[in-house]
Amino acid sequence: MPQQTKHQADVQIESWITLQRDLGKAPNTVAAYERGVRHFAAFCRMASIDLLHARKGTIAAYLHHLCARPLGGGRTGDADRSLTPSPTMANASLRHRLTIIRLFYDHLVEEGLRDTNPVPRGRRGAIDGTRHQTARGLVPVHRTLPWVPSQDQWTTILKAARTEPIRNRLMLAFAYDCALRREELCALETSDLDPAQRLITIRAETTKTKTGRIVPYSSVTGELLAVYLRERRALSRARGPLFLSNSPRNWAMPISKWTWSKVIRAMGIRAGEPKLGTHTMRHLCLTDLARVGWDIHEIARFAGHRNVQTTLLYIHLSARDLSAKFAATAAELHEARLASIMEVQQ
């Protein structure tokens, strides 16, 4: 690839990343966009392809490269060294990479540097006149059910949590009570709490959808909070981030989302439930709200979802719940409709 074209590609990448930052996108989102587009740019350099004039075949070759999944690689700051993807590249990760590339080429089209976007968009459910039209994207969507612990599994997890410091137990309680995302939990500040009413304000700037909300928490969590606040005063009396580190290395510093991920992973391994993740408590809470009869719109508002379709992805009642509901409401009807199938011919 000519040196001049390569320079132009780098300039456009920098311009796009700066635009995302100036538009107020979350730092984690901007960082993910930059990793994704630079990884694709490194692939184009490796394949001697002009990034600014890539075609659909280039995108297909990149997807093939990602799906090959050779061993090694990782998330490094250098895009060329990270060309080898993770051996566990999931469907959602592939679609995320593709989305980043599509958004970058949308930018090039808007800037007049290209006439078309080489990444086709998938369209579902469009109605045109008298027929139903569907256009598939390059990567099919796999809707996998999230893992939601059973009552026995949750009891085991809570047993493992009892050996954790009070801060970690409180974080686990808040994550479940309020269906908090990892970023929302770690970004909580002392001013977000209303202990008298047992309410938490989730500030808009800390949420994925940039929509704030106020959610309640239980009396058990309130008791944990009272104990933790006494411990926190020994670390710092200043208002600000709620959850502070007590390690000598990061004394009184706000704990990061990565620290919380490590805590949850260790807790899951100790409980014999390696599937436990920082999002598990959110899944369980929203599923429990559905089990006790909350309306889907109420659950969406509690979760901070802008679209109830997103909420539906979180609500997966267990097979036992479905069996019990079927037996209570539909079994007799289904038996009547299928009764004749049991008749034996003479």
Side-chain angles (χ1 to χ4, degrees), residues 105-152:
Y105 281 111
D106 277 345
H107 168 72
L108 296 185
V109 171
E110 291 172 0
E111 293 295 311
L113 298 175
R114 287 184 61 101
D115 294 328
T116 59
N117 192 323
V119 184
R121 280 176 166 79
R123 296 184 300 277
R124 294 175 295 159
I127 302 296
D128 182 17
T130 60
R131 63 181 183 176
H132 186 85
Q133 292 188 338
T134 300
R136 293 185 177 181
L138 291 180
V139 178
V141 178
H142 296 170
R143 296 296 187 191
T144 57
L145 296 179
W147 179 72
V148 176
S150 66
Q151 182 58 46
D152 289 342

Side-chain angles (χ1 to χ4, degrees), residues 95-113:
R95 290 189 290 110
H96 184 247
R97 293 287 185 92
L98 202 61
T99 298
I100 292 171
I101 299 170
R102 188 186 71 228
L103 293 174
F104 172 67
Y105 281 111
D106 277 345
H107 168 72
L108 296 185
V109 171
E110 291 172 0
E111 293 295 311
L113 298 175

